[in-house]
Amino acid sequence: MHYPIGLLFDLLASSSALPWNITVHFKSFPEKDLLHCPSKDAVEAHFMSCVKEADALKHKSQVINEMQKKDHKQLWMGLQNDRFDQFWAINRKLMEYPAEENGFRYIPFRIYQTTTERPFIQKLFRPVAADGQLHTLGDLLREVCPSALAPEDGEKKNQVMIHGIEPMLETPLQWLSEHLSYPDNFLHISIIPQPTD
Amino acid sequence: MSSRPSRHREAGQWARAWPPLPARPLGRPAGEGRLGFPAAEEQSPRPGRSAPAQRWNPVGGFCEKLLPSDRWPWSDVSGLQHRPLDGVALPSLHWEWESDWYVDENFGGEPTEKGGWTYAIDFPATYTRDKKWNSCVRRRRWIRYRRYKSRDSWAKIPSKDDPKQLPDPFNDLSVGGWEITDEPVGRLSVWAVSLQGKVWYREDVSHPNPEGSSWSLMDTPAEAAQISCGPHDLLWVTLWEGQALVREGISRNNPKGSSWSVVEPPTSENGIMHVSVGVAVVWAITKDRKVWFRRGVNSHNPCGTSWIEMVGEMTMVNVGLNDQVWGISCDDRAMYFRQGVTPSELSGKTWKAIVAGRESDRSHSGSSLSLLSAGCFFGDEVRGSGESCAPSDTDASSDAERPGPDQPVPAESLDCPGDPKGSSASGPGTSRTTEHPAEVASPATQTPRPEPRPGPACTPAEVPWTNIDLKEPKKTPSHPLAGLPETTGLSSLEVLPLGLEEPYGADDHPLWAWVSGGGCAVEAHSVLKWFSVQLGLSPSVQTLSLSITPAQTAAWRKQVFQQLTERTKRELENFRHYEQAVEQSVWVKTGTLQWWCNWKPHKWVDVRVALEQFTGHDGARDSILFIYYVVHEEKKYIHVFLNEVTALVPVLNEAKHSFALYTPERTRQRWPVRLAAATEQDMNDWLALLSLSCCESRKVHGRPSPQAIWSITCKGDIFVSEPSPDLEDPAHPLPCDQMFWRQVGGHLRVVEANSRGVVWGIGYDHTAWVYTGGYGGGCFQGLASSSSNIYTQSDVKSVYIYENQRWNPVTGYTSRGLPTDRYMWSDATGLQECTKASTKPPSLQWSWVSDWSIDFSVPGGTDQEGWQYASDFPASYHGYKTMKDFVRRRCWARKCKLVTSGPWLEVAPIALGDVSIIPESPGASGNGHSVALWAVSDKGDVLCRLGVSELNPAGSSWLHVGTDQPFASISIGACYQVWAVARDGSAFYRGSVSPSQPAGDCWYHIPSPPKQRLKQVSVGQTAVYALDENGNLWYRQGVTPSYPQGSSWEHVSNNVRRVSVGPLDQVWVIANKVQGSHSLSRGTVCHRTGVQPHEPKGQGWDYGIGGGWDHISIRANATRAPRSASQETAGERSGEQGLPSGPAQVAGALQESLGPVCC
């Protein structure tokens, strides 16, 4: 499974000294661990499938399916050419939700932990509770990954990182999904051990 | 957004003394003889003219002592009626004089001798402007303007009729008929039904004369109960006995129709109680409350064929614009909208209840308040001052249901709310809202019952009624704007229940009695949001809509932002010095297109196309377009560097989606690279991508600068170019074939700009548009487009074909011509066969919106059936048959419509023919004055826009400037010199225009060049240029500050189609034909070279982009070349760009001919 590079950094290298030194391998592709993308088209297809999966969770795929091929192309071209405007002009639509709702259907998120074998946690989770209260990042973790949270009075053992920062656990999940999602429309959350310096 | 809700005519309505043609708001030149004046001028909408007559006698010369048999010394034009100047009265209280009497010094567009006298042998005779030996009488025309002033208020209809003849109190009233085929713009039909069941027609109602002149009684076979008049030619009346009457024969020539037909009710036991008609639909309610739709109704068969029963029980239905239907249900008295009404399915699909809030739900109080009468004949249904719904817009059509006297009457404005979105472009709408706060505050008191009945018999109290505005709703259906249905719709339905006498509980919905959708333009297929209660969040703001308290917001948000800032600092700040690692070259797009090949015979050949994009080390991008083709089985390619491309022009026709790509060299050759795509989408993708690449390589992005040069092609596409500083360098101007033009979304016919960023446009349908500051739109989506300030824009134009016939002695005129004749159905030239069936809209972007109809407004005039006669094809045609005429033709027009998007907002409601914005003198920077903007309306009225500024480019209101004939073109120079061209081809100068006197004081007539009729004028800093109908460009000689009218016209060039003079007195034109090395182009941008203070006419022409250009405005470009460096920069520039020419050759390229090369 391919991870966004920002996630890789958060997950594996957030404690390393900057600038981050990257080793590029030109042979011995780890075929067993990673899906080999034979062409740029395959990379694009992978990216688009992530976006589609996210929209399936958010809007039952309604938004992405209503888009035209060229909109999909624009998403990819915007990402590829580092053109935020171009990208966001389309991505914005993926971040909207019906006025009568208070948020997406489900939040597309993945939680990664360095300490487990499991690649990531992904479950159905709604942004709004049955009573209308907005779910927070803390609610999510309590529900799907309680081990990441510090016990009531215990010491904080883990950091919850998104995009290199630690948002407060009280942050509404819907807001995070709209504003801190990766280009593939997923909220990639890293749980990493609290550095012990 | 639309300012539709506030349809308000700011400009005064103009009436002229003479001639009293109901057809024309403005007068026409003094060709009085053929016009046929009614003797009773008091009845005409616009008296106010007197003609003093004098007779020559051998002793005293001309004097006012006439012969005893002579006409009155002061008379109307016929001479029959005595009309001293002080005896000319206003028709009613609702008119005011605009100015004092003055002498008209023009005679048929020509200036007369001093005093405006015209001479003749005797009264009445043909008058000439020259005094001859046998001139025994003379006369001159005095003019005084009046205007209808009772705007924004309810005005009692005056009546000078004999009281015995007056209609008894009215029971119902309906306004329609504004779209009868080919009728004069602004005419309206007002029909009323009186309590005694008589039907009355109000004569001479039009926009300039909203009150009309008199009531005419129409004979009916039985007593009428209710009436409904559609926008076209449908008129239905219900009878007390339950049948319906249908008026037949309503047409342009006979708006009252000719006869009645009776339509029986669907069932004999339940007669028709209420009927409402639209363009091609009739809906009715029978006494048992059932709803019926009439099948088969159209212009040819206004009676229709049969009744179809619809679901639901209603107390009333109302057909609004676009045949959309509203109703009040019988059970719950809720308002319903008929969903799914489309041109193909006029009966719609289902009734949907409209959620209409009460005052507590309303976001804008007061402004839209309207009570409306419940007035209709079925009085038992309506409680006293019961709640009622307000249809609202100020459209004439919404006045359709005016109350009867026995019913509660509107006590409030029919004003539409200044919708928050809509008000931006509509000053008047919002301004009016302040007029009746008191009424808003105390709705319960608003139950006056004046009787809106004309005549002395009834003298209602002066109630604070407001506005009926009669701007034609005609345009409404044809210009949908994004969001219009919602905005106007909601406002139309915004209501304030006033019925306090039958209170309903807080949870009850109001019980409606009446609805009118006449002011609400709903496009078929548009999504409406009236049917569910919104939570108050529009999708655009919903991301901020989470229900979180500010405190929480503060905590987590602050932390997120703080951490992000820290992260950026930590991860980026210290590494700024690292070089960006970017790809050096990237293939962006490849595809298959067709290319118009270079070799003969020219044809479309299939090619592979690839756009290769590079990014240089400096981050700048450049791109090359490769076109791979095969000729004689040999593979070849051509390539184009996109940084050399000067324009990308879509060339759409009914068959191909193609575009042309110009470089300076190809501009000189008049041979662009032409490429065609298989689909419109494909073409738009290529255009958008290439255009983006061109802009990138030239580092042009964002909105055009205020100095930008705007131009328009004959397809209505809008182009803009950033002027380089040396464009107007007197010594070495930048050759204008090197100017880079990029497209801006939208569709216009005229665009005018000034250097403070104020840009106005006029569509083919004469709609005025103001530039919003956005860019992109149209096919330019995504990055090439601004995310805001782009709105839907539509335009309507007509396609014309000609029906040709030849006379033969046996059968008269027939469609069988001589073998040598032109096609019997042809284009204007007669060379191309164009039948009604085969003629298509100009391109796939356009779709038909009307059927073929006869065009009566062709030059030369037509007879009643639209025919023009001539002795043979092709010849000059006239509108009447003579013995010598053997052929005739008539013109058929069909409207088509295009919907696109662009950075333009409509400036409603007045349609324009021309517009001019003051060019800012170089150096004069924003002196605090508002920007002077003058315009000519599509009817020829001259208008001056007030309140225009950078921040409010749309301005606030129109000021009407009186003229004694319709105008065609206008231009204002940097020093407030206003020049105009009248439709008769003569020029006028407006005196004393200044910031403090924005409309000036009077017109000075300027004769046109000998034997030429002018059609356009353009005024720069001091220079005045005019263009005549034969393509000659004239310079006004002798213009000085003390004598701004100048002395004479000097010929500059022929072969000119359009001229634009800028603030540096630079002169740019659209040349008619320009020959290049490979081909000829028609419609080419040309720059006058050698224009110097001592040589204002210039020396020659430099040819720029061309081939289909129609319009240019360089009036925003006040950028002077840096004086000292001009020599150097010219050299460097040509060096940098790798041109094969040094400075000398550049100069040599500016062909020093005396006129654009004509062939």
Side-chain angles (χ1 to χ4, degrees):
Chain A
M1 177 54 83
H2 296 281
Y3 289 176
I5 192 159
L7 171 65
L8 289 172
F9 180 79
D10 281 354
L11 200 57
L12 307 169
S14 56
S15 54
S16 62
L18 290 173
W20 187 22
N21 288 314
I22 300 174
T23 313
V24 180
H25 299 272
F26 291 95
K27 53 187 178 185
S28 312
F29 189 89
E31 303 277 357
K32 272 189 283 179
D33 308 313
L34 275 182
L35 189 67
H36 197 157
C37 292
S39 66
K40 211 155 78 173
D41 290 343
V43 180
E44 180 183 347
H46 171 70
F47 167 75
M48 286 311 299
S49 85
C50 287
V51 175
K52 284 176 185 168
E53 182 182 349
D55 199 57
L57 293 168
K58 288 194 282 192
H59 309 107
K60 295 188 193 167
S61 298
Q62 278 164 357
V63 178
I64 193 89
N65 288 345
E66 277 171 23
M67 285 184 184
Q68 293 175 335
K69 179 77 188 143
K70 75 171 165 77
D71 297 333
H72 293 178
K73 204 78 191 166
Q74 187 174 333
L75 267 181
W76 171 244
M77 295 288 285
L79 178 71
Q80 189 193 336
N81 296 333
D82 189 22
R83 295 293 185 76
F84 179 75
D85 290 354
Q86 194 177 350
F87 173 79
W88 193 253
I90 305 299
N91 201 56
R92 184 177 54 198
K93 296 176 196 157
L94 296 168
M95 290 298 174
E96 289 171 355
Y97 52 86
E100 59 270 18
E101 308 282 327
N102 281 328
F104 300 138
R105 222 167 100 83
Y106 297 107
I107 297 293
F109 71 91
R110 283 172 187 170
I111 296 175
Y112 304 82
Q113 290 167 288
T114 46
T115 51
T116 58
E117 278 302 300
R118 198 177 168 186
F120 54 77
I121 301 169
Q122 180 176 353
K123 289 181 177 169
L124 292 180
F125 192 82
R126 290 186 184 269
V128 186
D131 61 359
Q133 282 288 315
L134 286 168
H135 278 139
T136 64
L137 180 60
D139 295 336
L140 172 73
L141 293 173
R142 264 188 291 281
E143 173 88 20
V144 304
C145 185
S147 61
L149 295 172
E152 278 295 304
D153 45 353
E155 192 189 343
K156 186 184 167 194
K157 283 187 290 192
N158 291 309
Q159 284 182 310
V160 180
M161 298 280 270
I162 308 173
H163 286 295
I165 63 168
E166 281 184 272
M168 289 171 73
L169 295 179
E170 291 77 23
T171 315
L173 203 58
Q174 174 68 28
W175 188 91
L176 285 174
S177 183
E178 285 173 50
H179 297 94
L180 290 184
S181 282
Y182 281 66
D184 62 8
N185 278 255
F186 272 88
L187 200 53
H188 294 288
I189 304 167
S190 309
I191 311 291
I192 56 172
Q194 180 84 17
T196 53
D197 47 27
Chain B
M1 286 299 110
S2 158
S3 51
R4 188 93 51 208
S6 58
R7 185 162 293 112
H8 172 76
R9 181 156 168 112
E10 299 100 342
Q13 298 295 349
W14 280 78
R16 266 201 51 225
W18 175 49
L21 280 185
R24 286 203 40 78
L26 257 184
R28 56 173 62 183
E32 70 269 57
R34 49 201 160 82
L35 292 173
F37 295 90
E41 259 203 56
E42 280 303 328
Q43 277 194 15
S44 81
R46 42 190 79 83
R49 175 200 169 260
S50 271
Q54 295 189 352
R55 180 171 284 279
W56 186 85
N57 73 52
V59 183
F62 283 104
C63 70
E64 289 191 12
K65 262 189 206 130
L66 303 182
L67 299 180
S69 61
D70 266 342
R71 54 174 57 193
W72 300 95
W74 291 86
S75 75
D76 65 354
V77 68
S78 67
L80 300 175
Q81 208 168 18
H82 179 45
R83 302 195 67 186
L85 279 190
D86 53 3
V88 178
L90 290 165
S92 75
L93 285 174
H94 307 299
W95 294 82
E96 65 188 2
W97 292 116
E98 234 268 329
S99 61
D100 207 348
W101 288 102
Y102 70 93
V103 172
D104 179 21
E105 299 200 343
N106 285 303
F107 182 70
E110 298 279 317
T112 57
E113 257 177 60
K114 216 163 173 56
W117 291 102
T118 53
Y119 299 86
I121 301 169
D122 195 4
F123 305 114
T126 309
Y127 296 86
T128 62
R129 62 197 183 98
D130 299 317
K131 185 172 147 188
K132 300 194 186 105
W133 64 270
N134 62 354
S135 300
C136 294
V137 295
R138 65 176 185 177
R139 67 168 189 181
R140 59 179 169 174
R141 181 166 72 152
W142 287 74
I143 295 174
R144 189 177 190 188
Y145 292 107
R146 66 164 196 236
R147 83 174 131 207
Y148 192 79
K149 67 175 179 184
S150 293
R151 308 262 143 197
D152 302 349
S153 62
W154 286 101
K156 191 187 136 210
I157 304 297
S159 179
K160 297 191 174 64
D161 298 327
D162 177 0
K164 286 174 200 150
Q165 299 277 309
L166 275 178
D168 44 326
F170 285 134
N171 206 0
D172 192 23
L173 192 137
S174 182
V175 182
W178 62 83
E179 275 192 335
I180 293 178
T181 306
D182 297 310
E183 72 179 349
V185 171
R187 206 201 61 78
L188 291 167
S189 295
V190 177
W191 294 81
V193 167
S194 69
L195 272 182
Q196 291 174 8
K198 290 178 178 164
V199 173
W200 298 83
Y201 176 83
R202 184 76 181 170
E203 302 280 355
D204 302 323
V205 178
S206 65
H207 294 157
N209 183 30
E211 63 187 13
S213 59
S214 62
W215 290 104
S216 298
L217 180 61
M218 311 299 291
D219 284 332
T220 45
E223 287 185 1
Q226 182 251 338
I227 194 161
S228 176
C229 179
H232 285 221
D233 45 14
L234 274 187
L235 176 76
W236 280 53
V237 175
T238 52
L239 299 177
W240 287 108
E241 280 85 47
Q243 299 97 329
L245 281 185
V246 182
R247 193 69 178 165
E248 306 247 22
I250 291 179
S251 73
R252 168 181 184 268
N253 297 317
N254 187 13
K256 284 190 272 193
S258 47
S259 61
W260 295 106
S261 300
V262 176
V263 170
E264 292 296 327
T267 55
S268 51
E269 61 271 24
N270 286 305
I272 301 169
M273 193 181 70
H274 180 82
V275 69
S276 185
V277 307
V279 175
V281 298
V282 175
W283 290 72
I285 307 282
T286 46
K287 295 211 165 80
D288 54 357
R289 308 299 182 205
K290 291 213 166 88
V291 183
W292 302 84
F293 176 82
R294 187 74 180 170
R295 195 203 300 256
V297 175
N298 59 47
S299 287
H300 309 293
N301 182 19
C303 295
T305 51
S306 60
W307 292 107
I308 305 173
E309 185 176 346
M310 309 305 282
V311 179
E313 295 196 339
M314 298 273 167
T315 65
M316 59 105 37
V317 286
N318 177 273
V319 180
L321 300 174
N322 286 354
D323 288 345
Q324 301 293 327
V325 182
W326 280 263
I328 305 287
S329 123
C330 215
D331 314 332
D332 54 359
R333 298 284 283 280
M335 246 186 291
Y336 281 81
F337 174 70
R338 186 76 186 169
Q339 226 180 15
V341 174
T342 63
S344 54
E345 193 170 2
L346 288 164
S347 55
K349 291 203 166 66
T350 173
W351 292 107
K352 272 219 142 180
I354 295 169
V355 177
R358 283 186 238 156
E359 66 263 66
S360 55
D361 307 329
R362 287 151 32 91
S363 53
H364 16 256
S365 61
S367 63
S368 61
L369 168 55
S370 16
L371 143 84
L372 194 45
S373 97
C376 162
F377 76 99
F378 46 104
D380 59 323
E381 278 304 302
V382 178
R383 292 141 316 146
S385 53
E387 39 336 273
S388 9
C389 138
S392 73
D393 195 358
T394 49
D395 275 341
S397 54
S398 67
D399 301 337
E401 276 74 30
R402 213 88 59 74
D406 55 338
Q407 301 295 342
V409 291
E412 286 280 351
S413 156
L414 291 184
D415 223 343
C416 213
D419 173 279
K421 290 177 190 164
S423 59
S424 62
S426 65
T430 45
S431 67
R432 265 184 289 150
T433 61
T434 57
E435 290 170 11
H436 33 84
E439 291 126 8
V440 176
S442 53
T445 64
Q446 290 296 320
T447 51
R449 299 172 180 230
E451 297 169 66
R453 175 174 70 161
C458 99
T459 44
E462 289 293 324
V463 239
W465 286 6
T466 45
N467 184 39
I468 319 178
D469 199 329
L470 292 172
K471 168 60 189 176
E472 60 265 34
K474 174 180 174 178
K475 295 283 168 62
T476 312
S478 53
H479 303 291
L481 291 176
L484 180 63
E486 292 91 339
T487 52
T488 47
L490 279 178
S491 31
S492 269
L493 290 161
E494 229 144 354
V495 286
L496 180 61
L498 288 187
L500 300 181
E501 66 184 29
E502 186 184 322
Y504 42 81
D507 297 328
D508 295 344
H509 72 83
L511 302 178
W512 300 112
W514 194 272
V515 62
S516 165
C520 182
V522 179
E523 287 282 304
H525 304 301
S526 55
V527 181
L528 302 169
K529 295 181 179 164
W530 304 334
F531 309 116
S532 61
V533 179
Q534 301 264 320
L535 290 175
L537 295 170
S538 70
S540 57
V541 296
Q542 61 190 216
T543 49
L544 300 173
S545 68
L546 301 172
S547 52
I548 36 183
T549 68
Q552 284 169 317
T553 311
W556 56 260
R557 274 177 81 102
K558 231 163 108 181
Q559 208 234 6
V560 166
F561 289 120
Q562 189 187 337
Q563 288 192 24
L564 284 172
T565 315
E566 282 168 14
R567 191 202 71 175
T568 306
K569 207 179 276 177
R570 182 175 72 237
E571 295 181 359
L572 296 176
E573 212 84 318
N574 297 328
F575 310 107
R576 290 268 180 240
H577 57 280
Y578 282 84
E579 205 175 287
Q580 290 275 319
V582 282
E583 281 187 278
Q584 294 294 308
S585 163
V586 30
W587 286 94
V588 173
K589 187 171 166 113
T590 60
T592 310
L593 295 175
Q594 285 191 309
W595 172 56
W596 187 246
C597 68
N598 274 332
W599 56 85
K600 284 184 179 169
H602 298 301
K603 61 179 183 196
W604 291 102
V605 295
D606 290 329
V607 290
R608 292 278 307 161
V609 179
L611 179 73
E612 191 176 342
Q613 194 170 62
F614 301 94
T615 307
H617 286 293
D618 55 354
R621 295 192 192 222
D622 199 0
S623 312
I624 305 176
L625 179 69
F626 292 92
I627 299 169
Y628 300 95
Y629 61 95
V630 178
V631 58
H632 304 309
E633 295 178 11
E634 193 182 348
K635 288 183 181 172
K636 291 189 169 181
Y637 72 91
I638 57 171
H639 65 280
V640 181
F641 290 98
L642 288 195
N643 65 359
E644 290 180 0
V645 170
T646 54
L648 286 158
V649 187
V651 187
L652 292 172
N653 55 37
E654 50 184 84
K656 280 272 179 210
H657 313 276
S658 70
F659 59 94
L661 186 151
Y662 288 86
T663 62
E665 189 193 355
R666 292 200 170 255
T667 300
R668 286 191 290 273
Q669 293 172 346
R670 304 289 153 203
W671 189 258
V673 177
R674 291 180 64 190
L675 292 165
T679 65
E680 187 181 350
Q681 186 60 52
D682 201 16
M683 188 198 84
N684 285 343
D685 288 350
W686 273 104
L687 256 187
L689 180 66
L690 291 174
S691 175
L692 183 64
S693 302
C694 291
C695 290
E696 267 176 352
S697 64
R698 290 179 183 259
K699 297 197 173 64
V700 174
H701 51 82
R703 66 169 283 178
S705 74
Q707 281 79 33
I709 298 172
W710 295 75
S711 67
I712 294 178
T713 67
C714 59
K715 306 275 184 190
D717 291 322
I718 305 153
F719 285 83
V720 64
S721 177
E722 295 301 328
S724 97
D726 51 349
L727 190 62
E728 300 296 344
D729 185 335
H732 298 282
L734 176 80
C736 61
D737 56 18
Q738 295 191 9
M739 292 165 68
F740 172 63
W741 295 93
R742 63 177 162 141
Q743 195 177 347
V744 170
H747 190 269
L748 295 174
R749 185 177 55 84
V750 167
V751 65
E752 286 294 327
N754 98 333
S755 56
R756 277 159 75 180
V758 177
V759 184
W760 279 50
I762 302 175
Y764 277 70
D765 58 1
H766 300 287
T767 306
W769 300 89
V770 65
Y771 174 63
T772 60
Y775 54 96
C779 68
F780 305 101
Q781 305 289 331
L783 193 59
S785 182
S786 52
S787 49
S788 58
N789 288 330
I790 298 292
Y791 303 97
T792 304
Q793 191 190 23
S794 69
D795 209 346
V796 174
K797 69 178 181 183
S798 289
V799 171
Y800 299 96
I801 61 174
Y802 287 84
E803 180 182 6
N804 306 301
Q805 293 191 346
R806 180 170 287 277
W807 188 84
N808 72 58
V810 185
T811 50
Y813 282 104
T814 64
S815 54
R816 195 170 302 150
L818 298 179
T820 57
D821 263 345
R822 55 178 54 193
Y823 295 102
M824 290 294 105
W825 288 90
S826 74
D827 64 355
T829 63
L831 301 175
Q832 205 79 42
E833 177 163 29
C834 298
T835 63
K836 281 187 185 178
S838 70
T839 304
K840 292 196 172 72
S843 80
L844 294 168
Q845 294 174 296
W846 295 86
S847 52
W848 294 125
V849 290
S850 75
D851 207 345
W852 289 104
S853 62
I854 296 167
D855 182 9
F856 294 92
S857 56
V858 286
T862 70
D863 69 4
Q864 292 267 309
E865 291 183 306
W867 292 104
Q868 294 188 295
Y869 298 84
S871 54
D872 198 2
F873 300 119
S876 67
Y877 298 88
H878 41 259
Y880 47 90
K881 182 174 156 30
T882 69
M883 292 301 290
K884 287 183 235 160
D885 293 325
F886 289 99
V887 297
R888 64 176 184 178
R889 68 167 189 185
R890 61 178 167 183
C891 180
W892 290 80
R894 190 176 189 186
K895 285 184 194 154
C896 54
K897 177 173 174 179
L898 160 148
V899 178
T900 178
S901 63
W904 307 96
L905 268 179
E906 184 178 348
V907 186
I910 295 187
L912 299 184
D914 193 17
V915 68
S916 178
I917 311 170
I918 191 168
E920 299 284 317
S921 334
S925 58
N927 45 14
H929 292 311
S930 59
V931 175
L933 185 150
W934 286 61
V936 175
S937 81
D938 62 338
K939 298 173 198 149
D941 301 348
V942 175
L943 306 162
C944 174
R945 189 75 174 173
L946 302 180
V948 178
S949 66
E950 291 102 318
L951 294 176
N952 182 21
S956 54
S957 62
W958 289 111
L959 187 65
H960 196 282
V961 180
T963 59
D964 60 352
Q965 57 174 315
F967 275 38
S969 164
I970 197 139
S971 184
I972 176 167
C975 311
Y976 292 87
Q977 324 92 295
V978 174
W979 285 69
V981 169
R983 286 201 190 151
D984 69 4
S986 58
F988 286 86
Y989 174 80
R990 184 79 182 173
S992 308
V993 180
S994 68
S996 53
Q997 195 180 358
D1001 59 2
C1002 64
W1003 292 108
Y1004 296 91
H1005 182 261
I1006 314 276
S1008 53
K1011 291 182 187 154
Q1012 299 291 351
R1013 287 158 57 97
L1014 294 177
K1015 67 170 189 182
Q1016 196 221 329
V1017 64
S1018 188
V1019 189
Q1021 165 85 349
T1022 57
V1024 179
Y1025 280 80
L1027 190 61
D1028 69 32
E1029 289 177 348
N1030 295 319
N1032 296 306
L1033 182 65
W1034 302 86
Y1035 171 73
R1036 188 70 182 170
Q1037 191 66 259
V1039 172
T1040 63
S1042 57
Y1043 192 62
Q1045 294 99 310
S1047 53
S1048 63
W1049 294 108
E1050 281 197 24
H1051 190 257
V1052 178
S1053 173
N1054 60 0
N1055 190 29
V1056 175
R1057 232 184 235 189
R1058 178 93 205 171
V1059 60
S1060 183
V1061 183
L1064 308 170
D1065 280 342
Q1066 73 268 41
V1067 180
W1068 291 65
V1069 300
I1070 302 293
N1072 202 17
K1073 294 175 186 171
V1074 168
Q1075 181 66 51
S1077 57
H1078 283 52
S1079 177
L1080 166 86
S1081 74
R1082 291 160 194 276
T1084 302
V1085 172
C1086 293
H1087 180 197
R1088 190 75 184 163
T1089 57
V1091 174
Q1092 301 273 6
H1094 55 271
E1095 187 152 13
K1097 285 166 62 183
Q1099 289 160 345
W1101 294 106
D1102 177 28
Y1103 307 119
I1105 191 73
W1109 251 254
D1110 249 8
H1111 182 94
I1112 185 165
S1113 174
I1114 45 98
R1115 296 169 61 80
N1117 181 22
T1119 321
R1120 270 191 208 284
R1123 217 168 271 164
S1124 56
S1126 59
Q1127 180 76 34
E1128 271 172 41
T1129 46
E1132 277 172 19
R1133 173 186 34 74
S1134 50
E1136 271 168 16
Q1137 300 206 347
L1139 285 179
S1141 52
Q1145 282 154 303
V1146 172
L1150 313 178
Q1151 301 171 35
E1152 302 281 323
S1153 58
L1154 284 173
V1157 180
C1158 182
C1159 55

